[in-house]
């Protein structure tokens, strides 16, 4: 990944409390896994930002290197990589996700 892509990813992750790198956007997810993440965050009623990886090949590949995680979507809370769809579903079901986002939004 080039320095410009890394800088852009750093800024997106650090400047947004909840950041989702996904296929599509929060209004129109382009895959089922991305839709799962959007639905979970909408149920929690928390503000979040999205980046459509389909719109930028450098971001699409770069985010995989940035997180050392091979799949999309990818969710960051307070600059920390949480994981993708399956991990978010698990965190939501066990109640930890709501706790994490409440703490993040309060800080």
């Amino acid at each position: 990944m080039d320095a410009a892509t890394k800088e852009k990813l750093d800024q997106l992750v650090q400047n947004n409390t909840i950041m989702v790198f996904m296929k599509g956007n929060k209004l129109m997810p382009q895959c089922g896994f991305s839709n799962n993440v959007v639905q979970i965050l909408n149920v929690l009623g928390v503000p979040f930002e999205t980046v459509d990886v389909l719109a930028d090949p450098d971001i699409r590949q770069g985010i995989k290197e940035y997180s050392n995680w091979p799949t999309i979507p990818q969710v960051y809370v307070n600059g920390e990589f949480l994981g993708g769809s399956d991990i978010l579903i698990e965190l939501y079901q066990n109640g930890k996700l709501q706790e994490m986002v409440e703490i993040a939004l309060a800080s």
Side-chain angles (χ1 to χ4, degrees):
M1 155 179 30
D2 64 33
T5 301
K6 183 179 185 313
E7 176 65 25
K8 186 172 184 179
L9 291 170
D10 281 339
Q11 288 180 358
L12 287 166
V13 166
Q14 292 166 12
N15 294 339
N16 295 286
T17 305
I18 302 172
M19 184 76 241
V20 182
F21 294 89
M22 60 181 282
K23 294 177 181 173
N25 59 52
K26 63 174 121 180
L27 299 177
M28 192 179 299
Q30 297 293 308
C31 82
F33 298 110
S34 293
N35 187 53
N36 289 343
V37 168
V38 168
Q39 295 306 316
I40 288 169
L41 293 172
N42 283 339
V43 166
L44 293 177
V46 295
F48 63 99
E49 294 302 321
T50 62
V51 170
D52 181 0
V53 299
L54 299 176
D56 187 335
D58 291 336
I59 294 291
R60 184 177 188 171
Q61 183 55 40
I63 194 61
K64 295 174 184 180
E65 295 171 28
Y66 188 83
S67 63
N68 199 27
W69 191 262
T71 59
I72 303 292
Q74 294 189 13
V75 180
Y76 288 79
V77 175
N78 262 1
E80 179 185 345
F81 175 62
L82 291 188
S85 178
D86 292 348
I87 291 172
L88 228 64
I89 290 169
E90 183 181 323
L91 289 170
Y92 174 72
Q93 289 175 339
N94 69 22
K96 290 183 181 172
L97 182 62
Q98 185 161 355
E99 184 180 315
M100 292 168 122
V101 298
E102 285 175 3
I103 290 168
L105 293 169
S107 60

XYZ file of all heavy atoms in Angstrom:
833
model
N 0.854 -1.183 0.000
C 0.000 0.000 0.000
C 0.894 1.238 0.000
O 1.885 1.284 0.716
C -0.901 -0.078 1.235
C -1.422 1.202 1.762
S -2.518 1.102 3.198
C -1.982 -0.325 4.089
N 0.495 2.219 -0.799
C 1.306 3.436 -0.863
C 1.013 4.344 0.336
O 0.029 4.169 1.054
C 1.119 4.156 -2.196
C -0.292 4.672 -2.418
O -0.968 5.069 -1.454
O -0.735 4.697 -3.579
N 1.907 5.307 0.537
C 1.814 6.195 1.705
C 0.530 7.025 1.690
O -0.068 7.261 2.742
C 3.033 7.110 1.767
N 0.088 7.443 0.514
C -1.129 8.262 0.421
C -2.365 7.466 0.849
O -3.232 7.985 1.559
C -1.311 8.788 -0.996
N -2.431 6.201 0.449
C -3.562 5.352 0.844
C -3.538 5.109 2.335
O -4.573 5.190 3.002
C -3.532 4.011 0.069
O -3.591 4.297 -1.335
C -4.707 3.131 0.458
N -2.358 4.838 2.895
C -2.251 4.611 4.343
C -2.687 5.858 5.112
O -3.420 5.766 6.089
C -0.836 4.212 4.752
C -0.778 3.902 6.255
C 0.572 3.474 6.718
C 0.583 3.066 8.171
N -0.087 3.958 9.104
N -2.258 7.025 4.652
C -2.636 8.285 5.304
C -4.152 8.487 5.256
O -4.770 8.878 6.249
C -1.915 9.454 4.631
C -2.304 10.814 5.168
C -1.910 11.051 6.617
O -0.958 10.411 7.108
O -2.578 11.866 7.283
N -4.748 8.198 4.113
C -6.200 8.343 3.970
C -6.930 7.393 4.929
O -7.883 7.780 5.600
C -6.612 8.072 2.528
C -8.067 8.337 2.238
C -8.362 8.225 0.753
C -9.810 8.590 0.476
N -10.122 8.512 -0.964
N -6.464 6.138 4.998
C -7.079 5.165 5.911
C -6.903 5.592 7.364
O -7.841 5.513 8.154
C -6.494 3.766 5.674
C -6.877 3.129 4.341
C -6.065 1.868 4.096
C -8.366 2.837 4.284
N -5.706 6.063 7.719
C -5.464 6.561 9.083
C -6.474 7.647 9.438
O -7.079 7.625 10.517
C -4.053 7.158 9.213
C -2.957 6.119 9.360
O -3.248 4.966 9.763
O -1.792 6.471 9.085
N -6.657 8.598 8.536
C -7.571 9.706 8.808
C -9.012 9.230 8.948
O -9.728 9.667 9.856
C -7.455 10.771 7.717
C -6.174 11.549 7.782
C -6.073 12.608 6.699
O -6.950 12.759 5.857
N -4.988 13.354 6.715
N -9.461 8.346 8.059
C -10.834 7.839 8.134
C -11.082 7.099 9.447
O -12.102 7.303 10.102
C -11.121 6.920 6.942
C -11.280 7.606 5.598
C -11.215 6.590 4.462
C -12.587 8.389 5.552
N -10.134 6.247 9.821
C -10.304 5.439 11.037
C -10.234 6.315 12.288
O -11.010 6.133 13.226
C -9.235 4.317 11.065
C -9.145 3.668 12.428
C -9.540 3.278 9.996
N -9.326 7.279 12.304
C -9.124 8.079 13.507
C -10.120 9.228 13.649
O -10.390 9.676 14.764
C -7.689 8.602 13.547
C -6.694 7.472 13.741
C -5.253 7.862 13.467
O -4.931 9.036 13.331
N -4.394 6.872 13.368
N -10.681 9.697 12.543
C -11.578 10.853 12.594
C -13.057 10.499 12.679
O -13.899 11.390 12.718
C -11.338 11.773 11.388
C -9.958 12.412 11.419
O -9.330 12.509 12.464
N -9.482 12.834 10.276
N -13.367 9.207 12.686
C -14.765 8.767 12.771
C -14.888 7.750 13.895
O -14.201 6.732 13.891
C -15.199 8.136 11.443
C -15.209 9.150 10.312
O -16.084 9.998 10.235
N -14.215 9.070 9.443
N -15.770 8.024 14.854
C -15.918 7.137 16.005
C -16.260 5.719 15.563
O -15.679 4.752 16.043
C -16.991 7.685 16.968
O -16.634 9.032 17.327
C -17.079 6.840 18.217
N -17.221 5.595 14.645
C -17.573 4.281 14.093
C -17.434 4.376 12.578
O -18.136 5.144 11.927
C -18.998 3.855 14.487
C -19.146 3.814 16.008
C -19.330 2.488 13.872
C -20.556 3.585 16.496
N -16.493 3.605 12.045
C -16.175 3.648 10.619
C -16.345 2.256 10.037
O -15.832 1.289 10.598
C -14.715 4.099 10.469
C -14.230 4.285 9.076
S -14.861 5.806 8.353
C -15.765 5.140 7.003
N -17.091 2.169 8.932
C -17.333 0.886 8.271
C -16.831 0.967 6.837
O -17.272 1.814 6.060
C -18.837 0.524 8.270
C -19.052 -0.838 7.619
C -19.417 0.544 9.675
N -15.896 0.093 6.507
C -15.453 -0.076 5.130
C -16.283 -1.211 4.564
O -16.265 -2.328 5.103
C -13.953 -0.409 5.076
C -13.107 0.741 5.562
C -12.789 0.865 6.903
C -12.651 1.705 4.678
C -12.025 1.924 7.364
C -11.883 2.774 5.125
C -11.568 2.886 6.473
N -17.055 -0.933 3.520
C -18.050 -1.892 3.054
C -18.244 -1.787 1.554
O -17.734 -0.867 0.914
C -19.381 -1.638 3.771
C -19.966 -0.247 3.533
S -21.513 0.037 4.412
C -22.657 -0.848 3.359
N -18.997 -2.740 1.021
C -19.407 -2.679 -0.381
C -20.735 -1.935 -0.418
O -21.710 -2.382 0.168
C -19.537 -4.086 -0.956
C -18.201 -4.809 -1.024
C -18.345 -6.222 -1.521
C -16.983 -6.899 -1.555
N -17.089 -8.324 -1.878
N -20.723 -0.780 -1.064
C -21.891 0.087 -1.057
C -21.774 1.113 0.056
O -20.683 1.420 0.519
N -22.927 1.625 0.488
C -22.931 2.594 1.597
C -24.103 2.284 2.514
O -24.877 1.358 2.251
C -22.989 4.032 1.065
C -24.220 4.285 0.220
O -25.341 4.011 0.630
N -24.013 4.806 -0.974
N -24.233 3.059 3.579
C -25.259 2.733 4.588
C -26.676 2.817 4.042
O -27.568 2.167 4.556
C -25.096 3.576 5.841
C -25.258 5.050 5.683
C -25.216 5.728 7.035
C -24.116 6.734 7.144
N -24.063 7.391 8.439
N -26.881 3.583 2.974
C -28.212 3.679 2.380
C -28.463 2.590 1.348
O -29.608 2.233 1.092
C -28.396 5.056 1.732
C -28.295 6.239 2.689
C -28.424 7.547 1.934
C -29.334 6.135 3.792
N -27.388 2.057 0.762
C -27.534 1.028 -0.256
C -26.358 0.039 -0.200
O -25.454 0.099 -1.036
C -27.633 1.660 -1.644
C -28.084 0.644 -2.691
S -28.235 1.354 -4.338
C -29.485 2.597 -4.098
N -26.393 -0.862 0.787
C -25.339 -1.885 0.848
C -25.371 -2.751 -0.410
O -26.437 -3.054 -0.940
C -25.713 -2.702 2.090
C -26.609 -1.817 2.892
C -27.339 -0.968 1.893
N -24.183 -3.139 -0.872
C -24.073 -3.905 -2.110
C -23.772 -5.386 -1.883
O -23.529 -6.110 -2.835
C -22.989 -3.289 -2.994
C -23.302 -1.872 -3.427
C -24.490 -1.810 -4.371
O -24.546 -2.501 -5.372
N -25.459 -0.977 -4.026
N -23.763 -5.826 -0.629
C -23.622 -7.266 -0.361
C -24.292 -7.583 0.975
O -24.518 -6.707 1.802
C -22.158 -7.719 -0.377
S -21.245 -7.441 1.137
N -24.624 -8.833 1.156
C -25.340 -9.256 2.361
C -24.565 -9.032 3.642
O -25.133 -8.660 4.667
N -23.250 -9.253 3.594
C -22.446 -9.073 4.802
C -22.395 -7.599 5.203
O -22.517 -7.259 6.385
C -21.029 -9.624 4.595
C -21.005 -11.103 4.323
C -20.666 -11.585 3.075
C -21.334 -12.015 5.320
C -20.646 -12.946 2.809
C -21.325 -13.381 5.066
C -20.979 -13.847 3.805
N -22.229 -6.726 4.211
C -22.251 -5.288 4.491
C -23.619 -4.877 5.021
O -23.724 -4.077 5.962
C -21.909 -4.496 3.226
O -20.566 -4.709 2.840
N -24.675 -5.427 4.444
C -26.030 -5.127 4.911
C -26.222 -5.559 6.365
O -26.845 -4.841 7.145
C -27.064 -5.799 4.003
C -28.468 -5.384 4.353
O -28.788 -4.206 4.419
N -29.327 -6.371 4.586
N -25.679 -6.721 6.738
C -25.778 -7.180 8.137
C -25.202 -6.149 9.095
O -25.814 -5.820 10.121
C -25.022 -8.507 8.338
C -25.697 -9.677 7.683
O -26.870 -9.633 7.332
N -24.930 -10.743 7.502
N -24.027 -5.629 8.755
C -23.357 -4.648 9.618
C -24.197 -3.379 9.723
O -24.418 -2.843 10.823
C -21.941 -4.340 9.087
C -21.348 -3.120 9.774
C -21.041 -5.557 9.270
N -24.696 -2.885 8.591
C -25.521 -1.674 8.583
C -26.774 -1.873 9.437
O -27.136 -1.003 10.236
C -25.890 -1.277 7.135
C -26.980 -0.217 7.109
C -24.652 -0.792 6.389
N -27.429 -3.016 9.287
C -28.652 -3.287 10.051
C -28.377 -3.326 11.553
O -29.159 -2.793 12.351
C -29.311 -4.585 9.574
C -29.826 -4.539 8.148
C -30.769 -3.375 7.893
O -31.648 -3.076 8.684
N -30.558 -2.688 6.782
N -27.290 -3.948 11.951
C -26.940 -4.018 13.381
C -26.715 -2.615 13.928
O -27.253 -2.254 14.985
C -25.698 -4.904 13.600
C -26.058 -6.380 13.392
C -25.105 -4.680 14.991
C -24.863 -7.312 13.327
N -25.932 -1.810 13.221
C -25.653 -0.451 13.709
C -26.915 0.404 13.700
O -27.120 1.222 14.609
C -24.533 0.183 12.882
C -23.163 -0.495 13.055
C -22.153 0.066 12.057
C -22.660 -0.365 14.480
N -27.792 0.205 12.728
C -29.066 0.938 12.703
C -29.956 0.534 13.879
O -30.610 1.387 14.482
C -29.800 0.712 11.384
C -29.216 1.531 10.243
O -28.538 2.528 10.462
N -29.479 1.102 9.024
N -29.987 -0.748 14.213
C -30.778 -1.212 15.361
C -30.267 -0.566 16.646
O -31.044 -0.173 17.516
C -30.762 -2.758 15.461
C -31.265 -3.231 16.817
C -31.600 -3.366 14.353
N -28.933 -0.446 16.754
C -28.357 0.193 17.937
C -28.608 1.698 17.951
O -28.477 2.341 18.985
C -26.851 -0.079 18.017
C -26.444 -1.522 18.279
C -24.924 -1.650 18.262
C -27.016 -2.040 19.591
N -28.958 2.250 16.795
C -29.272 3.681 16.721
C -28.066 4.577 16.896
O -28.186 5.679 17.413
N -26.903 4.103 16.455
C -25.681 4.887 16.625
C -25.258 5.520 15.303
O -25.482 4.954 14.239
C -24.534 4.011 17.184
C -24.864 3.523 18.583
C -24.219 2.840 16.272
N -24.636 6.694 15.375
C -24.135 7.316 14.146
C -22.878 6.585 13.680
O -22.037 6.191 14.494
C -23.814 8.742 14.579
C -23.543 8.646 16.043
C -24.397 7.518 16.557
N -22.777 6.397 12.379
C -21.577 5.765 11.829
C -21.351 6.253 10.411
O -22.275 6.729 9.760
C -21.668 4.228 11.869
C -22.769 3.636 11.027
C -22.504 3.117 9.766
C -24.081 3.580 11.500
C -23.518 2.556 8.991
C -25.100 3.017 10.735
C -24.814 2.513 9.473
N -20.116 6.156 9.975
C -19.744 6.563 8.622
C -19.337 5.336 7.832
O -18.890 4.339 8.402
C -18.582 7.564 8.659
C -18.945 8.887 9.305
C -20.107 9.588 8.622
O -20.185 9.560 7.368
O -20.940 10.182 9.328
N -19.492 5.412 6.518
C -19.122 4.299 5.656
C -18.236 4.786 4.514
O -18.303 5.949 4.121
C -20.356 3.602 5.054
O -21.077 4.517 4.230
C -21.266 3.054 6.139
N -17.416 3.874 4.016
C -16.636 4.094 2.800
C -16.950 2.930 1.876
O -16.868 1.765 2.283
C -15.121 4.144 3.097
C -14.315 4.128 1.804
C -14.780 5.367 3.917
N -17.332 3.259 0.649
C -17.630 2.248 -0.359
C -16.322 1.793 -1.003
O -15.733 2.517 -1.801
C -18.579 2.827 -1.410
C -18.967 1.816 -2.486
O -18.502 0.656 -2.433
O -19.738 2.195 -3.383
N -15.872 0.592 -0.659
C -14.604 0.090 -1.200
C -14.705 -0.203 -2.699
O -13.682 -0.273 -3.381
C -14.100 -1.162 -0.443
C -13.861 -0.846 1.031
C -15.038 -2.338 -0.606
N -15.917 -0.363 -3.215
C -16.086 -0.620 -4.640
C -15.744 0.618 -5.472
O -15.419 0.516 -6.650
C -17.520 -1.070 -4.939
C -17.974 -2.355 -4.258
C -19.440 -2.633 -4.564
C -17.110 -3.537 -4.677
N -15.801 1.787 -4.851
C -15.553 3.036 -5.562
C -14.063 3.367 -5.668
O -13.686 4.260 -6.430
C -16.285 4.184 -4.864
N -13.220 2.676 -4.908
C -11.789 3.007 -4.888
C -10.963 1.739 -4.711
O -10.857 1.217 -3.594
C -11.521 3.993 -3.754
C -10.106 4.538 -3.759
O -9.193 3.867 -4.296
O -9.894 5.635 -3.208
N -10.362 1.233 -5.799
C -9.576 -0.007 -5.712
C -8.409 0.082 -4.725
O -8.059 -0.922 -4.093
C -9.063 -0.213 -7.143
C -9.831 0.702 -8.007
C -10.431 1.765 -7.148
N -7.808 1.274 -4.576
C -6.699 1.427 -3.626
C -7.184 1.221 -2.193
O -6.509 0.572 -1.386
C -6.041 2.804 -3.759
C -5.276 2.960 -5.071
O -4.871 1.931 -5.653
O -5.094 4.113 -5.510
N -8.346 1.778 -1.871
C -8.921 1.594 -0.535
C -9.355 0.139 -0.357
O -9.126 -0.456 0.704
C -10.123 2.546 -0.310
C -9.660 4.003 -0.299
C -10.881 2.195 0.962
C -8.833 4.408 0.893
N -9.955 -0.434 -1.374
C -10.442 -1.819 -1.282
C -9.307 -2.778 -0.923
O -9.465 -3.631 -0.058
C -11.103 -2.239 -2.591
C -11.705 -3.625 -2.534
C -12.418 -3.978 -3.811
N -13.146 -5.236 -3.670
C -13.990 -5.699 -4.554
N -14.242 -5.008 -5.651
N -14.605 -6.838 -4.357
N -8.164 -2.642 -1.597
C -7.024 -3.504 -1.295
C -6.293 -3.020 -0.043
O -5.894 -3.808 0.801
C -6.057 -3.556 -2.484
C -4.887 -4.488 -2.262
C -5.300 -5.914 -1.906
O -6.253 -6.457 -2.458
N -4.601 -6.509 -0.957
N -6.152 -1.701 0.070
C -5.391 -1.126 1.174
C -5.966 -1.457 2.539
O -5.220 -1.733 3.482
N -7.293 -1.463 2.667
C -7.900 -1.715 3.982
C -7.612 -3.145 4.433
O -7.462 -3.410 5.623
C -9.414 -1.384 3.996
C -9.941 -1.327 5.437
C -10.219 -2.368 3.173
C -9.312 -0.278 6.304
N -7.483 -4.061 3.491
C -7.166 -5.449 3.843
C -5.753 -5.549 4.416
O -5.515 -6.295 5.366
C -7.321 -6.356 2.626
C -8.752 -6.443 2.122
C -8.829 -7.240 0.830
C -10.238 -7.238 0.272
N -10.315 -8.009 -0.979
N -4.834 -4.784 3.848
C -3.463 -4.753 4.358
C -3.397 -3.985 5.680
O -2.686 -4.381 6.598
C -2.543 -4.098 3.328
C -2.420 -4.881 2.036
C -1.675 -4.110 0.952
O -0.828 -3.265 1.288
O -1.958 -4.364 -0.233
N -4.140 -2.896 5.750
C -4.147 -2.020 6.921
C -4.551 -2.792 8.180
O -3.954 -2.648 9.232
C -5.123 -0.868 6.646
C -5.145 0.240 7.650
C -4.207 1.267 7.593
C -6.136 0.305 8.626
C -4.245 2.316 8.500
C -6.183 1.353 9.528
C -5.228 2.351 9.458
O -5.270 3.385 10.350
N -5.591 -3.615 8.046
C -6.120 -4.354 9.196
C -5.552 -5.765 9.302
O -5.775 -6.440 10.295
C -7.640 -4.469 9.066
O -7.950 -5.214 7.893
N -4.858 -6.199 8.239
C -4.406 -7.588 8.153
C -5.603 -8.533 8.244
O -5.570 -9.554 8.926
C -3.352 -7.902 9.218
C -2.561 -9.146 8.878
O -2.414 -9.496 7.718
N -2.067 -9.824 9.892
N -6.678 -8.150 7.569
C -7.936 -8.906 7.555
C -8.378 -9.014 6.106
O -8.485 -7.996 5.419
C -8.977 -8.148 8.383
C -10.230 -8.904 8.679
C -11.416 -8.811 8.001
C -10.457 -9.832 9.725
N -12.349 -9.625 8.573
C -11.790 -10.272 9.636
C -9.656 -10.350 10.735
C -12.338 -11.192 10.515
C -10.198 -11.260 11.615
C -11.529 -11.671 11.504
N -8.672 -10.217 5.603
C -8.850 -10.391 4.164
C -10.218 -10.041 3.587
O -10.368 -10.011 2.363
C -8.583 -11.885 3.977
C -9.032 -12.503 5.272
C -8.675 -11.481 6.330
N -11.211 -9.796 4.425
C -12.568 -9.630 3.896
C -13.162 -8.262 4.203
O -12.719 -7.546 5.091
C -13.504 -10.728 4.460
O -13.524 -10.630 5.887
C -13.044 -12.116 4.042
N -14.205 -7.948 3.464
C -15.001 -6.727 3.613
C -16.396 -7.198 4.001
O -16.854 -8.195 3.434
C -15.047 -5.966 2.268
C -13.636 -5.639 1.752
C -15.929 -4.728 2.357
C -12.858 -4.647 2.539
N -17.118 -6.566 4.889
C -16.859 -5.279 5.519
C -15.861 -5.372 6.676
O -15.592 -6.455 7.189
C -18.240 -4.868 6.041
C -18.918 -6.165 6.339
C -18.422 -7.117 5.276
N -15.374 -4.189 7.045
C -14.503 -4.056 8.199
C -15.014 -2.901 9.045
O -15.305 -1.827 8.526
C -13.064 -3.794 7.768
C -12.456 -4.967 7.037
C -10.975 -4.797 6.794
O -10.332 -3.931 7.370
N -10.438 -5.642 5.927
N -15.097 -3.148 10.360
C -15.658 -2.153 11.277
C -14.588 -1.713 12.274
O -13.909 -2.550 12.881
C -16.875 -2.725 12.037
C -17.447 -1.682 12.991
C -17.931 -3.214 11.054
N -14.484 -0.400 12.432
C -13.571 0.211 13.405
C -14.397 1.029 14.387
O -15.308 1.749 13.982
C -12.576 1.140 12.710
C -11.527 0.409 11.908
C -11.821 -0.097 10.648
C -10.251 0.220 12.416
C -10.866 -0.776 9.906
C -9.283 -0.460 11.684
C -9.598 -0.951 10.433
O -8.654 -1.626 9.711
N -14.078 0.914 15.668
C -14.702 1.735 16.705
C -13.584 2.392 17.501
O -12.697 1.695 18.021
C -15.614 0.896 17.631
C -16.152 1.745 18.776
C -16.774 0.295 16.835
N -13.626 3.724 17.578
C -12.576 4.485 18.262
C -11.185 4.110 17.767
O -10.252 3.956 18.565
C -12.662 4.312 19.775
C -13.381 5.467 20.432
O -13.843 6.387 19.779
N -13.492 5.410 21.740
N -11.045 3.929 16.466
C -9.751 3.621 15.886
C -9.314 2.179 16.014
O -8.269 1.797 15.517
N -10.114 1.358 16.671
C -9.758 -0.045 16.887
C -10.537 -0.941 15.919
O -11.751 -0.828 15.799
C -10.090 -0.447 18.328
C -9.781 -1.890 18.645
C -10.239 -2.304 20.041
O -10.539 -1.435 20.875
O -10.307 -3.526 20.268
N -9.830 -1.841 15.251
C -10.462 -2.777 14.331
C -11.224 -3.836 15.124
O -10.651 -4.507 15.979
C -9.396 -3.430 13.442
C -9.941 -4.488 12.539
C -10.894 -4.179 11.581
C -9.509 -5.795 12.645
C -11.396 -5.158 10.735
C -10.004 -6.779 11.812
C -10.952 -6.458 10.853
N -12.533 -3.951 14.852
C -13.342 -4.968 15.533
C -13.409 -6.253 14.722
O -13.325 -7.342 15.261
C -14.770 -4.479 15.768
C -14.994 -3.372 16.771
C -16.474 -3.159 17.005
C -14.297 -3.658 18.077
N -13.639 -6.129 13.422
C -13.787 -7.303 12.576
C -14.823 -7.056 11.506
O -15.159 -5.914 11.200
N -15.336 -8.159 10.978
C -16.319 -8.089 9.911
C -17.705 -8.473 10.376
O -18.035 -8.405 11.566
N -18.509 -8.927 9.449
C -19.913 -9.222 9.691
C -20.124 -10.262 10.794
O -20.897 -10.037 11.722
C -20.559 -9.690 8.384
O -21.902 -10.041 8.568
N -19.439 -11.396 10.698
C -19.635 -12.469 11.685
C -19.286 -12.022 13.095
O -19.996 -12.328 14.052
C -18.810 -13.706 11.313
C -19.316 -14.393 10.053
O -20.434 -14.054 9.596
O -18.595 -15.260 9.523
N -18.178 -11.301 13.221
C -17.751 -10.830 14.547
C -18.747 -9.817 15.081
O -19.093 -9.842 16.266
C -16.324 -10.266 14.484
C -15.350 -11.425 14.231
C -15.967 -9.510 15.754
C -13.932 -11.027 13.945
N -19.232 -8.920 14.212
C -20.211 -7.927 14.664
C -21.507 -8.596 15.119
O -22.089 -8.194 16.130
C -20.492 -6.905 13.563
C -20.419 -5.465 14.072
C -19.037 -5.106 14.542
C -20.926 -4.501 13.068
N -21.941 -9.610 14.382
C -23.149 -10.346 14.783
C -22.950 -10.966 16.164
O -23.816 -10.846 17.041
C -23.504 -11.431 13.743
C -24.009 -10.768 12.447
C -24.549 -12.399 14.282
C -24.131 -11.722 11.267
N -21.807 -11.595 16.365
C -21.514 -12.220 17.665
C -21.475 -11.186 18.792
O -22.067 -11.384 19.850
C -20.176 -12.959 17.576
C -19.802 -13.696 18.846
C -18.461 -14.394 18.719
O -18.146 -14.922 17.628
O -17.719 -14.396 19.709
N -20.786 -10.060 18.559
C -20.702 -9.006 19.576
C -22.078 -8.407 19.864
O -22.382 -8.054 21.002
C -19.739 -7.904 19.131
C -18.258 -8.271 19.118
C -17.444 -7.173 18.439
C -17.758 -8.536 20.526
N -22.909 -8.287 18.839
C -24.265 -7.765 19.023
C -25.094 -8.737 19.852
O -25.768 -8.337 20.807
C -24.926 -7.519 17.664
C -26.370 -7.115 17.775
C -26.718 -5.852 18.245
C -27.387 -8.002 17.442
C -28.052 -5.482 18.358
C -28.716 -7.633 17.550
C -29.048 -6.380 18.013
O -30.362 -6.016 18.138
N -25.015 -10.025 19.520
C -25.833 -11.025 20.213
C -25.435 -11.182 21.680
O -26.298 -11.439 22.522
C -25.750 -12.367 19.482
C -26.493 -12.336 18.167
C -26.328 -13.611 17.347
O -25.392 -14.376 17.524
N -27.253 -13.820 16.416
N -24.150 -11.016 21.986
C -23.754 -11.176 23.391
C -23.778 -9.861 24.166
O -23.420 -9.816 25.338
C -22.397 -11.892 23.511
C -21.227 -11.069 23.024
O -21.281 -9.842 22.954
N -20.145 -11.753 22.680
N -24.216 -8.774 23.515
C -24.390 -7.496 24.200
C -23.133 -6.645 24.290
O -23.192 -5.499 24.738
N -22.001 -7.158 23.861
C -20.745 -6.407 23.990
C -20.652 -5.245 23.011
O -20.041 -4.227 23.309
C -19.543 -7.338 23.826
C -19.388 -8.288 24.981
C -18.158 -9.161 24.838
C -18.089 -10.116 26.034
N -17.039 -11.112 25.869
N -21.266 -5.389 21.831
C -21.178 -4.321 20.836
C -21.854 -3.050 21.336
O -21.304 -1.962 21.225
C -21.787 -4.758 19.504
C -21.697 -3.711 18.389
C -20.248 -3.381 18.064
C -22.428 -4.195 17.152
N -23.035 -3.192 21.912
C -23.740 -2.017 22.420
C -22.904 -1.311 23.489
O -22.779 -0.093 23.489
C -25.104 -2.401 22.985
C -25.901 -1.195 23.414
C -27.384 -1.484 23.552
O -27.849 -2.563 23.245
N -28.123 -0.498 24.007
N -22.304 -2.090 24.365
C -21.446 -1.525 25.405
C -20.254 -0.797 24.779
O -19.924 0.328 25.179
C -20.967 -2.677 26.304
C -20.137 -2.266 27.484
C -19.728 -3.479 28.304
O -20.587 -4.363 28.563
O -18.548 -3.549 28.665
N -19.627 -1.405 23.779
C -18.460 -0.795 23.125
C -18.810 0.534 22.459
O -18.082 1.508 22.597
C -17.885 -1.743 22.070
C -17.259 -2.972 22.600
S -16.966 -4.120 21.236
C -15.219 -4.312 21.399
N -19.923 0.557 21.725
C -20.269 1.793 21.012
C -20.740 2.878 21.982
O -20.460 4.052 21.758
C -21.290 1.570 19.864
C -20.714 0.647 18.812
C -22.618 1.078 20.350
N -21.396 2.491 23.063
C -21.801 3.497 24.055
C -20.581 4.153 24.684
O -20.541 5.370 24.852
C -22.682 2.857 25.132
C -24.100 2.579 24.655
C -24.947 1.832 25.672
O -24.463 1.564 26.792
O -26.103 1.511 25.345
N -19.592 3.351 25.016
C -18.348 3.890 25.595
C -17.647 4.784 24.574
O -17.184 5.883 24.898
C -17.422 2.749 26.063
C -18.043 2.062 27.296
C -16.028 3.248 26.363
C -17.380 0.754 27.683
N -17.569 4.322 23.330
C -16.896 5.089 22.282
C -17.574 6.434 22.050
O -16.902 7.452 21.915
C -16.864 4.282 20.987
N -18.898 6.432 22.019
C -19.631 7.670 21.754
C -19.603 8.633 22.946
O -19.742 9.834 22.773
C -21.059 7.361 21.333
C -21.187 6.656 19.979
C -22.602 6.140 19.775
C -20.765 7.583 18.842
N -19.404 8.091 24.147
C -19.362 8.924 25.335
C -18.009 9.599 25.513
O -17.907 10.603 26.207
C -19.683 8.094 26.579
N -16.992 9.052 24.878
C -15.636 9.594 25.082
C -15.311 10.732 24.132
O -15.980 11.024 23.214
C -14.595 8.490 24.943
O -14.637 7.906 23.662
